[in-house]
Amino acid sequence: LPVLPVVIPDGQDPKTFEVGDEAYFGAGRLGNSRFLDGMTIEEGKNEVARRLEARGAGERTVQYRLRDWLASRQRAWGCPIPMVHCPKCGIVPVADSNLPVRLPDDLDFKVKGNPLDAHPTFKHVKCPSCGSEAVRDTDTLDTFVDSSWYFARFADPTATDPVNRDAVNYWLPVDQYIGGIEHAILHLLYARFFTRGMHDTGWVTLDEPFASLFTQGMVLHESYQDQHGAWLYPEEVEKRPDGSAVVKGTSGHVTVGPSIRMSKSKKNVVAPMGMIDTFGADAIRWLMLSDSPPERDVDWSESGAEGCWRFVQRIHRLVTEAENLPAPGTPIPSTLDQLSSTARRVVHRRIAEVTDHLDNLRFNRAVANIYELANIVGTLLGKADGAVLREALEALVLLLGPMMPHLAETCWAALDHKNLVVETPWPKFIEDLTKEDVVTYAIQVNGKLRATQQFANGTDTATVESEALKLDPIIRALDGKIPKKVIVVPNRIVNVVA
């Protein structure tokens, strides 16, 4: 069946725009949608709701995933609930002068149930209202209650009030929130709920606590159960050549489950200390960051650890084998040979790329760029200008510093620096050196890629348009039609609308 696009990118004709093999997720306006044609997606939603309401067929509503929250816990850790149960007055709040309620230091954790309930003195108090004998609430609050507003308290942890309003208004919202997917429906939702409540009660002026959300993936591993169904740690399992598994040192059969999120209850966790003892913390950190984008789940594997360790050794050799380097701070000569000039361009492009990738949490791409930079440095040893080689080596060391700090500090000292990497500013790239001499344009007809063509960087759009229309694939795709419009996005794409 033909795919009928309903969101049309700006500049495209709904009659000719095609989505191809993948759906179009970008911005645009509605098309092929009758009375919604020409509207933005949000305008279309509102129009549908308006018409349904006008007909009495329904009314718009916002559905939240927040449900009633049972916040009390029968345990001795967590914040005490500051309420007193009086036989005469009912449930009475603890007087402000007696806040905060502090947990006793002499709890007996061997008793059954909640140790606070069994404490001889903690729960027996006078009613704050009538002075009669009463009982303190021995439940504590769910720890999520604390984590729902700690960021506001952290703005000034010494404040005598719950929060320092001036400090909160200065520091919040939190610039970047990072958490697992389970946080999106628990901690994140609770924190937003608390912030709205604190806004309504005058403690903060913002509605949203976090400016940006990044959801990291989970580390997965196979799970193992013995013949009785008990969970086993990976180190307790022996894999056999035929693919079966037994309890290590026995013939007891082990059922190997699928890769699932590492969990203490399932025991499918891997202690990193053994690998760190063998390969070093830098190599294992490098392995974790290079494996996949951080937003994706990843199956834990030790297979790449040795390769990462070899890369650590290679970086150290590149630095220590570089001979006759000029002193730190030596300026780059105004005239360079072809090799050194080309190398500088590559180095500054890699600085720009790694900086952008780290800023946007694309750690695996930053790792790939550093591998490329190491290869470039390897080609420069003994061949390039000394100042250019030093610049390349220093950029390499500084860029890998956040991911392999021990190696970076060792190499930085070997490059005759007296300060530390952590005290050194992040390397800056020279904009002119990052520009490609040649850029590749993707050339589309009615949204479909028909050709690619290279042009000198900075070629004017009129020339790009003229040359693109002369290409045989474009001429064949137009089939004698006169283009209605040609859209040139500099250094990226030519879109021909026929």
Side-chain angles (χ1 to χ4, degrees):
L1 294 174
V3 178
L4 190 65
V6 293
V7 177
I8 314 299
D10 292 335
Q12 296 283 354
D13 186 346
K15 296 179 180 178
T16 56
F17 175 67
E18 298 179 11
V19 294
D21 296 330
E22 296 185 7
Y24 172 70
F25 291 100
R29 294 187 175 269
L30 298 176
N32 300 310
S33 302
R34 294 187 289 177
F35 64 89
L36 300 177
D37 287 351
M39 297 182 184
T40 65
I41 297 171
E42 199 59 38
E43 289 170 346
K45 292 177 183 178
N46 289 330
E47 178 61 16
V48 170
R50 187 191 67 78
R51 292 194 178 207
L52 287 171
E53 288 175 335
R55 295 182 182 181
E59 60 183 33
R60 72 187 77 196
T61 184
V62 177
Q63 182 65 45
Y64 293 100
R65 297 181 68 180
L66 192 63
R67 301 288 183 265
D68 288 345
W69 179 10
L70 181 61
S72 61
R73 299 291 183 268
Q74 293 74 50
R75 60 192 183 199
W77 61 90
C79 288
I81 296 176
M83 295 291 172
V84 172
H85 297 263
C86 174
K88 298 179 180 178
C89 306
I91 300 176
V92 182
V94 171
D96 288 353
S97 59
N98 292 329
L99 293 176
V101 175
R102 300 190 181 277
L103 296 172
D105 296 324
D106 56 345
L107 288 170
D108 181 4
F109 289 95
K110 296 180 181 179
V111 301
K112 292 183 178 180
N114 183 355
L116 289 174
D117 198 43
H119 193 273
T121 60
F122 176 75
K123 68 177 182 179
H124 300 292
V125 293
K126 300 289 185 180
C127 172
S129 180
C130 69
S132 301
E133 295 293 331
V135 176
R136 189 192 304 279
D137 198 314
T138 56
D139 282 1
T140 54
L141 290 170
D142 180 5
T143 51
F144 267 115
V145 172
D146 292 334
S147 62
S148 294
W149 67 286
Y150 71 90
F151 42 86
R153 178 67 185 176
F154 277 10
D156 181 1
T158 64
T160 53
D161 287 328
V163 298
N164 177 335
R165 291 174 174 85
D166 291 337
V168 166
N169 292 334
Y170 175 80
W171 286 108
L172 296 184
V174 175
D175 295 300
Q176 179 68 63
Y177 178 106
I178 300 176
I181 188 62
E182 76 276 7
H183 287 72
I185 55 173
L186 291 175
H187 174 260
L188 178 61
L189 201 54
Y190 294 151
R192 296 180 69 204
F193 169 74
F194 258 66
T195 301
R196 299 297 175 89
M198 293 172 73
H199 175 274
D200 291 350
T201 53
W203 289 104
V204 299
T205 58
L206 70 159
D207 286 330
E208 290 290 347
F210 312 118
S212 181
L213 168 68
F214 182 85
T215 303
Q216 79 225 26
M218 297 296 175
V219 182
L220 312 179
H221 198 282
E222 290 179 335
S223 56
Y224 310 103
Q225 289 179 282
D226 65 17
Q227 54 196 345
H228 304 295
W231 299 102
L232 300 170
Y233 288 106
E235 59 266 27
E236 297 177 297
V237 177
E238 179 183 342
K239 295 282 190 72
R240 290 182 167 177
D242 62 1
S244 63
V246 296
V247 178
K248 188 173 290 186
T250 75
S251 59
H253 173 73
V254 170
T255 300
V256 180
S259 287
I260 56 176
R261 187 181 72 179
M262 285 190 181
S263 162
K264 288 180 288 186
S265 63
K266 302 291 192 301
K267 296 187 176 181
N268 63 330
V269 293
V270 177
M273 293 312 299
M275 295 179 66
I276 290 174
D277 290 341
T278 303
F279 300 108
D282 278 354
I284 301 308
R285 188 184 294 108
W286 189 256
L287 171 66
M288 296 176 66
L289 294 172
S290 65
D291 200 51
S292 68
E295 67 269 20
R296 293 185 188 172
D297 291 344
V298 58
D299 280 305
W300 177 250
S301 172
E302 301 177 7
S303 60
E306 187 171 349
C308 293
W309 178 81
R310 287 197 298 269
F311 184 68
V312 171
Q313 311 309 310
R314 182 185 173 205
I315 296 296
H316 190 260
R317 286 196 303 273
L318 286 174
V319 171
T320 56
E321 292 177 4
E323 297 179 345
N324 301 319
L325 288 176
T330 300
I332 304 293
S334 57
T335 303
L336 295 171
D337 59 74
Q338 184 64 42
L339 173 65
S340 299
S341 178
T342 302
R344 278 205 88 202
R345 287 184 171 275
V346 175
V347 169
H348 280 264
R349 287 181 198 135
R350 295 299 172 266
I351 295 173
E353 290 167 348
V354 172
T355 302
D356 180 64
H357 290 323
L358 292 183
D359 284 346
N360 291 281
L361 308 180
R362 296 187 293 261
F363 305 124
N364 61 311
R365 294 191 193 179
V367 167
N369 288 144
I370 292 174
Y371 274 123
E372 295 168 358
L373 181 55
N375 291 335
I376 294 298
V377 171
T379 66
L380 300 180
L381 292 180
K383 300 176 183 178
D385 175 86
V388 171
L389 177 57
R390 170 170 282 282
E391 180 186 48
L393 284 167
E394 290 181 350
L396 176 62
V397 172
L398 292 173
L399 291 177
L400 60 80
M403 294 173 275
M404 293 200 283
H406 303 92
L407 173 65
E409 296 294 357
T410 299
C411 291
W412 196 244
L415 289 170
D416 298 324
H417 286 280
K418 304 306 179 186
N419 63 331
L420 298 175
V421 168
V422 294
E423 299 170 328
T424 305
W426 186 253
K428 294 182 179 179
F429 57 88
I430 299 174
E431 186 73 37
D432 287 343
L433 294 180
T434 65
K435 295 177 181 177
E436 298 281 355
D437 296 327
V438 176
V439 293
T440 301
Y441 278 79
I443 304 174
Q444 299 178 339
V445 176
N446 293 332
K448 275 194 173 182
L449 180 66
R450 298 294 185 179
T452 59
Q453 181 68 18
Q454 289 188 331
F455 293 91
N457 193 349
T459 301
D460 62 273
T461 56
T463 301
V464 172
E465 177 182 332
S466 174
E467 294 299 317
L469 293 175
K470 294 177 184 178
L471 296 174
D472 288 339
I474 306 306
I475 294 172
R476 288 196 300 270
L478 289 173
D479 194 24
K481 298 176 184 175
I482 303 298
K484 297 177 181 178
K485 185 186 296 185
V486 179
I487 303 168
V488 179
V489 180
N491 295 333
R492 290 183 56 195
I493 191 170
V494 179
N495 192 14
V496 181
V497 181

